[in-house]
């Protein structure tokens, strides 16, 4: 069932929010938090890679992958490939982002997997990986039979949206957790950094909302079979 609104204008809003979110998380971690590093004596720089990759990867790239079927003026086969590749990029960035959080904790002598955010994060990346592998095998290569694809498609779409909503929600939870740590360490609760973190989380939630609205809205007439079995 599609909403009786056009997908394309909604996708423009989503793209704008994606750019804003990417810029904001980079400004936060580079300008306010001191930068990004794979290796550093300052372990905070290693951790900074985590929120950047998780937001740009799972949330933004994952969202762009979802709306690619409704927003791109290409043939279905081309959009299917773009959808697959964007989700693969999102998954890879998410895995690296989680690795950087573990790397920071291990090198700093901090405990791992003690918070709800970390538990949900592991769950999201596992579910995301399962979803991608299933989609690749059934809809891309070697490809299931017509009946399998037809029966799988609604569940693939529904499960994908569930995992994406969970990813967006967990990103907001992560921003809250990090900001709480920073405020307990002395940053101004009403300072520019605190406002930037909160607004970045809000932009992420708004972006996720427009991704879902775009996915549920009406595709162009000439592309009315975007979500039909391949």
């Amino acid at each position: 069932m599609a909403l009786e609104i056009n997908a394309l204008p909604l996708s423009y809003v989503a793209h704008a929010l994606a750019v804003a979110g990417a810029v904001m998380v980079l400004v936060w971690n580079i300008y306010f938090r001191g930068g990004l590093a794979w290796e550093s004596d300052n372990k905070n720089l290693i951790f900074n890679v985590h929120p950047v990759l998780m937001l740009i990867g799972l949330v933004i790239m994952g969202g762009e992958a979802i709306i690619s079927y409704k927003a791109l003026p290409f043939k279905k086969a081309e959009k299917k490939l773009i959808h697959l590749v964007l989700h693969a990029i999102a998954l890879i960035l998410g895995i690296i982002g989680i690795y950087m959080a573990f790397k920071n904790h291990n090198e700093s002598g901090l405990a791992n997997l003690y918070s709800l955010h970390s538990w949900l994060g592991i769950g999201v990346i596992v579910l995301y990986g399962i979803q991608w592998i299933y989609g690749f095998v059934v809809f891309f290569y070697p490809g299931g039979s017509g009946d399998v694809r037809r029966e799988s498609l609604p569940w693939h779409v529904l499960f994908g949206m569930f995992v994406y909503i969970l990813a967006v929600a967990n990103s907001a939870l992560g921003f809250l957790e990090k900001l709480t740590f920073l405020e307990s360490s002395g940053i101004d609760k009403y300072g520019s950094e605190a406002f930037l973190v909160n607004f970045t989380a809000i932009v992420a939630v708004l972006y996720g909302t427009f991704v879902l609205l775009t996915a549920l809205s009406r595709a162009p007439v000439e592309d009315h079979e975007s979500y039909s079995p391949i």
Side-chain angles (χ1 to χ4, degrees):
M1 181 181 68
L3 300 175
E4 290 304 313
I5 50 179
N6 293 324
L8 205 56
L10 293 173
S11 73
Y12 294 152
V13 178
H15 296 326
L17 289 168
V19 173
V23 170
M24 291 168 76
V25 76
L26 286 168
V27 169
W28 173 40
N29 286 280
I30 294 174
Y31 179 77
F32 286 97
R33 293 288 95 209
L36 311 170
W38 187 269
E39 295 286 350
S40 177
D41 292 333
N42 182 354
K43 304 308 177 184
N44 291 326
L45 303 186
I46 296 174
F47 179 84
N48 291 347
V49 179
H50 173 73
V52 170
L53 292 188
M54 300 311 289
L55 182 64
I56 294 178
L58 286 188
V59 175
I60 294 178
M61 296 300 292
E64 293 297 319
I66 289 173
I67 66 178
S68 62
Y69 269 115
K70 291 291 182 73
L72 295 177
F74 302 136
K75 295 179 180 179
K76 187 189 300 182
E78 295 168 337
K79 291 191 288 187
K80 179 177 69 170
L81 180 61
I82 293 171
H83 178 79
L84 182 75
V85 170
L86 288 178
H87 272 312
I89 294 172
L91 180 60
I92 291 169
L93 292 180
I95 291 171
I96 297 172
I98 289 177
Y99 168 78
M100 295 305 285
F102 276 97
K103 180 178 174 67
N104 164 261
H105 282 210
N106 292 337
E107 294 185 8
S108 302
L110 301 174
N112 288 306
L113 298 175
Y114 61 86
S115 67
L116 177 61
H117 171 67
S118 62
W119 292 3
L120 289 177
I122 295 298
V124 166
I125 205 70
V126 170
L127 293 176
Y128 207 108
I130 292 172
Q131 171 81 343
W132 189 88
I133 292 170
Y134 185 83
F136 182 89
V137 171
V138 173
F139 297 106
F140 193 78
Y141 183 82
S145 66
D147 288 341
V148 169
R149 284 177 289 172
R150 189 175 300 107
E151 294 176 2
S152 296
L153 186 61
W155 294 104
H156 181 69
V157 172
L158 181 63
F159 187 71
M161 288 186 176
F162 165 73
V163 175
Y164 184 70
I165 291 170
L166 196 58
V168 173
N170 200 42
S171 73
L173 186 60
F175 283 117
L176 172 62
E177 182 179 288
K178 181 63 176 179
L179 183 57
T180 301
F181 290 155
L182 293 174
E183 289 175 344
S184 65
S185 299
I187 76 161
D188 186 357
K189 290 181 174 60
Y190 297 98
S192 55
E193 181 177 1
F195 279 110
L196 176 61
V197 175
N198 281 333
F199 277 116
T200 304
I202 291 172
V203 168
V205 172
L206 288 175
Y207 173 71
T209 300
F210 275 90
V211 165
L212 295 177
L213 287 175
T214 302
L216 293 172
S217 61
R218 188 174 62 243
V221 174
E222 66 272 19
D223 191 34
H224 61 90
E225 293 184 347
S226 284
Y227 285 112
S228 63
I230 299 167

